[in-house]
Short mmCIF file of all heavy atoms in Angstrom, two decimals:
data_model
loop_
_atom_site.label_atom_id
_atom_site.label_comp_id
_atom_site.label_asym_id
_atom_site.label_seq_id
_atom_site.Cartn_x
_atom_site.Cartn_y
_atom_site.Cartn_z
N LYS A 1 50.38 -95.19 -191.78
CA LYS A 1 49.40 -95.93 -190.97
C LYS A 1 49.28 -95.36 -189.56
O LYS A 1 48.20 -95.31 -189.00
CB LYS A 1 49.74 -97.42 -190.94
CG LYS A 1 49.50 -98.08 -192.28
CD LYS A 1 48.06 -97.87 -192.73
CE LYS A 1 47.79 -98.43 -194.10
NZ LYS A 1 46.39 -98.37 -194.47
N LEU A 2 50.41 -94.92 -188.99
CA LEU A 2 50.34 -94.27 -187.67
C LEU A 2 49.52 -93.00 -187.76
O LEU A 2 48.61 -92.77 -186.96
CB LEU A 2 51.75 -93.96 -187.16
CG LEU A 2 51.80 -93.16 -185.85
CD1 LEU A 2 51.15 -93.93 -184.71
CD2 LEU A 2 53.24 -92.80 -185.53
N LEU A 3 49.81 -92.16 -188.75
CA LEU A 3 49.06 -90.92 -188.91
C LEU A 3 47.62 -91.17 -189.30
O LEU A 3 46.72 -90.40 -188.94
CB LEU A 3 49.76 -90.00 -189.90
CG LEU A 3 51.12 -89.47 -189.43
CD1 LEU A 3 51.80 -88.67 -190.51
CD2 LEU A 3 50.98 -88.65 -188.15
N SER A 4 47.36 -92.25 -190.00
CA SER A 4 46.00 -92.62 -190.35
C SER A 4 45.20 -92.97 -189.08
O SER A 4 44.06 -92.52 -188.91
CB SER A 4 46.04 -93.83 -191.30
OG SER A 4 44.75 -94.29 -191.58
N ALA A 5 45.80 -93.75 -188.19
CA ALA A 5 45.13 -94.09 -186.93
C ALA A 5 44.88 -92.82 -186.11
O ALA A 5 43.79 -92.64 -185.55
CB ALA A 5 45.97 -95.08 -186.14
N LEU A 6 45.86 -91.94 -186.06
CA LEU A 6 45.69 -90.69 -185.33
C LEU A 6 44.61 -89.81 -185.96
O LEU A 6 43.87 -89.12 -185.25
CB LEU A 6 47.02 -89.93 -185.25
CG LEU A 6 48.09 -90.58 -184.37
CD1 LEU A 6 49.43 -89.89 -184.56
CD2 LEU A 6 47.66 -90.57 -182.91
N THR A 7 44.51 -89.84 -187.29
CA THR A 7 43.47 -89.09 -187.98
C THR A 7 42.08 -89.59 -187.56
O THR A 7 41.20 -88.80 -187.24
CB THR A 7 43.64 -89.21 -189.51
OG1 THR A 7 44.88 -88.62 -189.88
CG2 THR A 7 42.50 -88.55 -190.26
N GLY A 8 41.91 -90.90 -187.58
CA GLY A 8 40.62 -91.48 -187.17
C GLY A 8 40.30 -91.17 -185.72
O GLY A 8 39.15 -90.86 -185.38
N MET A 9 41.30 -91.22 -184.87
CA MET A 9 41.08 -90.93 -183.45
C MET A 9 40.73 -89.46 -183.24
O MET A 9 39.80 -89.13 -182.49
CB MET A 9 42.31 -91.33 -182.64
CG MET A 9 42.54 -92.83 -182.61
SD MET A 9 44.17 -93.32 -182.02
CE MET A 9 44.18 -92.65 -180.38
N ALA A 10 41.45 -88.57 -183.91
CA ALA A 10 41.18 -87.13 -183.79
C ALA A 10 39.79 -86.80 -184.33
O ALA A 10 39.04 -86.02 -183.72
CB ALA A 10 42.24 -86.32 -184.52
N PHE A 11 39.43 -87.41 -185.46
CA PHE A 11 38.10 -87.19 -186.03
C PHE A 11 37.03 -87.59 -185.01
O PHE A 11 36.04 -86.87 -184.82
CB PHE A 11 37.94 -88.01 -187.32
CG PHE A 11 36.63 -87.79 -188.01
CD1 PHE A 11 36.53 -86.91 -189.06
CD2 PHE A 11 35.48 -88.47 -187.60
CE1 PHE A 11 35.32 -86.70 -189.70
CE2 PHE A 11 34.27 -88.28 -188.23
CZ PHE A 11 34.18 -87.38 -189.29
N THR A 12 37.22 -88.73 -184.37
CA THR A 12 36.26 -89.22 -183.38
C THR A 12 36.07 -88.22 -182.26
O THR A 12 34.94 -87.87 -181.90
CB THR A 12 36.73 -90.58 -182.81
OG1 THR A 12 36.83 -91.52 -183.88
CG2 THR A 12 35.77 -91.10 -181.75
N VAL A 13 37.17 -87.75 -181.69
CA VAL A 13 37.10 -86.83 -180.55
C VAL A 13 36.45 -85.51 -180.96
O VAL A 13 35.53 -85.02 -180.29
CB VAL A 13 38.50 -86.60 -179.95
CG1 VAL A 13 38.49 -85.48 -178.91
CG2 VAL A 13 39.04 -87.89 -179.34
N VAL A 14 36.92 -84.94 -182.05
CA VAL A 14 36.39 -83.64 -182.49
C VAL A 14 34.91 -83.75 -182.85
O VAL A 14 34.09 -82.92 -182.42
CB VAL A 14 37.22 -83.08 -183.67
CG1 VAL A 14 36.55 -81.87 -184.30
CG2 VAL A 14 38.63 -82.74 -183.21
N ALA A 15 34.53 -84.75 -183.61
CA ALA A 15 33.13 -84.90 -184.01
C ALA A 15 32.23 -85.16 -182.80
O ALA A 15 31.15 -84.57 -182.68
CB ALA A 15 32.99 -86.02 -185.04
N PHE A 16 32.68 -86.01 -181.89
CA PHE A 16 31.85 -86.34 -180.71
C PHE A 16 31.61 -85.10 -179.86
O PHE A 16 30.47 -84.78 -179.52
CB PHE A 16 32.50 -87.43 -179.86
CG PHE A 16 31.76 -87.71 -178.59
CD1 PHE A 16 30.58 -88.44 -178.62
CD2 PHE A 16 32.20 -87.22 -177.38
CE1 PHE A 16 29.87 -88.69 -177.46
CE2 PHE A 16 31.50 -87.46 -176.21
CZ PHE A 16 30.32 -88.20 -176.25
N TYR A 17 32.69 -84.39 -179.52
CA TYR A 17 32.51 -83.22 -178.65
C TYR A 17 31.84 -82.06 -179.36
O TYR A 17 31.17 -81.25 -178.72
CB TYR A 17 33.84 -82.82 -178.00
CG TYR A 17 34.23 -83.80 -176.92
CD1 TYR A 17 35.30 -84.66 -177.08
CD2 TYR A 17 33.48 -83.89 -175.75
CE1 TYR A 17 35.64 -85.58 -176.09
CE2 TYR A 17 33.80 -84.80 -174.76
CZ TYR A 17 34.87 -85.65 -174.94
OH TYR A 17 35.19 -86.56 -173.96
N THR A 18 31.95 -81.98 -180.67
CA THR A 18 31.25 -80.93 -181.41
C THR A 18 29.74 -81.20 -181.40
O THR A 18 28.96 -80.32 -181.05
CB THR A 18 31.77 -80.85 -182.86
OG1 THR A 18 33.15 -80.51 -182.83
CG2 THR A 18 31.00 -79.80 -183.66
N TYR A 19 29.35 -82.40 -181.78
CA TYR A 19 27.90 -82.65 -181.84
C TYR A 19 27.26 -82.67 -180.46
O TYR A 19 26.14 -82.18 -180.29
CB TYR A 19 27.58 -83.91 -182.66
CG TYR A 19 27.27 -85.15 -181.87
CD1 TYR A 19 26.02 -85.36 -181.28
CD2 TYR A 19 28.22 -86.15 -181.71
CE1 TYR A 19 25.75 -86.49 -180.55
CE2 TYR A 19 27.95 -87.29 -181.00
CZ TYR A 19 26.72 -87.46 -180.41
OH TYR A 19 26.45 -88.59 -179.69
N THR A 20 27.94 -83.21 -179.45
CA THR A 20 27.33 -83.20 -178.11
C THR A 20 27.29 -81.79 -177.55
O THR A 20 26.36 -81.45 -176.80
CB THR A 20 28.06 -84.15 -177.13
OG1 THR A 20 29.44 -83.82 -177.07
CG2 THR A 20 27.87 -85.60 -177.52
N GLY A 21 28.25 -80.95 -177.92
CA GLY A 21 28.22 -79.55 -177.49
C GLY A 21 27.10 -78.78 -178.14
O GLY A 21 26.44 -77.96 -177.51
N VAL A 22 26.85 -79.05 -179.42
CA VAL A 22 25.80 -78.34 -180.15
C VAL A 22 24.43 -78.93 -179.81
O VAL A 22 23.48 -78.20 -179.52
CB VAL A 22 26.05 -78.42 -181.68
CG1 VAL A 22 24.86 -77.91 -182.47
CG2 VAL A 22 27.31 -77.64 -182.04
N TYR A 23 24.33 -80.24 -179.85
CA TYR A 23 23.06 -80.94 -179.65
C TYR A 23 22.66 -80.99 -178.18
O TYR A 23 21.49 -81.04 -177.84
CB TYR A 23 23.18 -82.34 -180.25
CG TYR A 23 21.92 -83.16 -180.28
CD1 TYR A 23 20.77 -82.71 -180.91
CD2 TYR A 23 21.90 -84.42 -179.70
CE1 TYR A 23 19.63 -83.48 -180.96
CE2 TYR A 23 20.76 -85.21 -179.74
CZ TYR A 23 19.63 -84.73 -180.36
OH TYR A 23 18.50 -85.50 -180.39
N GLY A 24 23.66 -81.03 -177.31
CA GLY A 24 23.39 -81.03 -175.88
C GLY A 24 23.21 -82.40 -175.25
O GLY A 24 23.03 -82.50 -174.05
N LYS A 25 23.23 -83.43 -176.05
CA LYS A 25 23.13 -84.78 -175.48
C LYS A 25 23.82 -85.78 -176.39
O LYS A 25 24.18 -85.49 -177.52
CB LYS A 25 21.69 -85.18 -175.21
CG LYS A 25 20.72 -85.05 -176.33
CD LYS A 25 19.31 -85.42 -175.86
CE LYS A 25 18.29 -84.79 -176.78
NZ LYS A 25 16.94 -85.16 -176.44
N ASN A 26 23.98 -86.98 -175.85
CA ASN A 26 24.67 -88.07 -176.50
C ASN A 26 23.67 -88.93 -177.28
O ASN A 26 22.60 -89.22 -176.76
CB ASN A 26 25.38 -88.89 -175.42
CG ASN A 26 26.36 -89.88 -175.97
OD1 ASN A 26 26.52 -90.04 -177.16
ND2 ASN A 26 27.03 -90.56 -175.07
N SER A 27 24.01 -89.32 -178.49
CA SER A 27 23.11 -90.14 -179.31
C SER A 27 23.87 -91.35 -179.83
O SER A 27 24.93 -91.21 -180.46
CB SER A 27 22.61 -89.30 -180.50
OG SER A 27 22.12 -90.13 -181.52
N ASP A 28 23.34 -92.54 -179.58
CA ASP A 28 23.99 -93.76 -180.07
C ASP A 28 24.08 -93.76 -181.59
O ASP A 28 25.08 -94.19 -182.15
CB ASP A 28 23.23 -95.01 -179.60
CG ASP A 28 23.43 -95.27 -178.11
OD1 ASP A 28 24.41 -94.75 -177.53
OD2 ASP A 28 22.62 -96.02 -177.53
N VAL A 29 23.04 -93.28 -182.26
CA VAL A 29 23.06 -93.24 -183.73
C VAL A 29 24.20 -92.34 -184.21
O VAL A 29 24.96 -92.71 -185.12
CB VAL A 29 21.70 -92.77 -184.29
CG1 VAL A 29 21.77 -92.51 -185.78
CG2 VAL A 29 20.60 -93.77 -183.96
N MET A 30 24.34 -91.17 -183.61
CA MET A 30 25.43 -90.26 -183.99
C MET A 30 26.79 -90.88 -183.70
O MET A 30 27.72 -90.75 -184.50
CB MET A 30 25.29 -88.91 -183.28
CG MET A 30 24.24 -88.01 -183.86
SD MET A 30 24.57 -87.57 -185.58
CE MET A 30 26.06 -86.61 -185.42
N ASN A 31 26.91 -91.55 -182.57
CA ASN A 31 28.19 -92.18 -182.22
C ASN A 31 28.58 -93.24 -183.24
O ASN A 31 29.74 -93.35 -183.62
CB ASN A 31 28.13 -92.79 -180.82
CG ASN A 31 27.99 -91.74 -179.74
OD1 ASN A 31 28.26 -90.57 -179.96
ND2 ASN A 31 27.54 -92.16 -178.58
N ILE A 32 27.62 -94.01 -183.69
CA ILE A 32 27.88 -95.05 -184.70
C ILE A 32 28.28 -94.40 -186.02
O ILE A 32 29.24 -94.83 -186.67
CB ILE A 32 26.66 -95.98 -184.85
CG1 ILE A 32 26.49 -96.81 -183.57
CG2 ILE A 32 26.79 -96.87 -186.08
CD1 ILE A 32 25.15 -97.52 -183.46
N LEU A 33 27.56 -93.35 -186.41
CA LEU A 33 27.90 -92.64 -187.65
C LEU A 33 29.30 -92.03 -187.57
O LEU A 33 30.07 -92.09 -188.53
CB LEU A 33 26.86 -91.56 -187.95
CG LEU A 33 25.47 -92.06 -188.36
CD1 LEU A 33 24.49 -90.90 -188.46
CD2 LEU A 33 25.54 -92.84 -189.66
N ILE A 34 29.63 -91.46 -186.43
CA ILE A 34 30.97 -90.88 -186.23
C ILE A 34 32.03 -91.96 -186.34
O ILE A 34 33.08 -91.75 -186.96
CB ILE A 34 31.06 -90.14 -184.88
CG1 ILE A 34 30.28 -88.83 -184.96
CG2 ILE A 34 32.51 -89.89 -184.47
CD1 ILE A 34 30.11 -88.12 -183.63
N TYR A 35 31.76 -93.12 -185.77
CA TYR A 35 32.74 -94.21 -185.83
C TYR A 35 33.05 -94.58 -187.28
O TYR A 35 34.21 -94.65 -187.68
CB TYR A 35 32.23 -95.44 -185.06
CG TYR A 35 33.10 -96.65 -185.31
CD1 TYR A 35 34.38 -96.71 -184.77
CD2 TYR A 35 32.69 -97.68 -186.14
CE1 TYR A 35 35.21 -97.78 -185.03
CE2 TYR A 35 33.51 -98.75 -186.41
CZ TYR A 35 34.77 -98.80 -185.85
OH TYR A 35 35.60 -99.85 -186.12
N PHE A 36 32.00 -94.80 -188.07
CA PHE A 36 32.23 -95.20 -189.45
C PHE A 36 32.85 -94.07 -190.27
O PHE A 36 33.70 -94.31 -191.14
CB PHE A 36 30.95 -95.74 -190.09
CG PHE A 36 30.58 -97.10 -189.57
CD1 PHE A 36 29.51 -97.27 -188.72
CD2 PHE A 36 31.34 -98.21 -189.91
CE1 PHE A 36 29.19 -98.52 -188.22
CE2 PHE A 36 31.04 -99.47 -189.42
CZ PHE A 36 29.95 -99.63 -188.57
N ALA A 37 32.48 -92.83 -189.98
CA ALA A 37 33.08 -91.68 -190.66
C ALA A 37 34.56 -91.55 -190.28
O ALA A 37 35.40 -91.22 -191.13
CB ALA A 37 32.33 -90.40 -190.33
N ALA A 38 34.89 -91.83 -189.04
CA ALA A 38 36.29 -91.77 -188.59
C ALA A 38 37.13 -92.83 -189.30
O ALA A 38 38.26 -92.56 -189.72
CB ALA A 38 36.37 -91.94 -187.07
N MET A 39 36.59 -94.03 -189.43
CA MET A 39 37.32 -95.09 -190.13
C MET A 39 37.50 -94.71 -191.60
O MET A 39 38.58 -94.90 -192.16
CB MET A 39 36.59 -96.43 -189.99
CG MET A 39 36.59 -96.96 -188.57
SD MET A 39 38.23 -97.13 -187.85
CE MET A 39 38.54 -98.84 -188.21
N ALA A 40 36.45 -94.16 -192.20
CA ALA A 40 36.55 -93.73 -193.61
C ALA A 40 37.60 -92.62 -193.75
O ALA A 40 38.41 -92.64 -194.69
CB ALA A 40 35.19 -93.26 -194.12
#
């Protein structure tokens, strides 16, 4: 469970900074999708 929480947190950080780096801006829709993907 500890590693699971860290997995979700790492996924969030990596996905957020990857898409904002590529896309160039922040998107609420992408942030919501990243959140649910991180939990999954």
Side-chain angles (χ1 to χ4, degrees):
K1 290 303 176 174
L2 174 62
L3 293 175
S4 175
L6 291 170
T7 297
M9 292 166 61
F11 183 98
T12 300
V13 171
V14 170
F16 175 76
Y17 286 110
T18 299
Y19 101 79
T20 55
V22 170
Y23 187 57
K25 53 183 158 176
N26 192 357
S27 161
D28 288 340
V29 171
M30 283 299 295
N31 294 341
I32 292 166
L33 291 173
I34 287 171
Y35 170 72
F36 288 108
M39 293 304 265

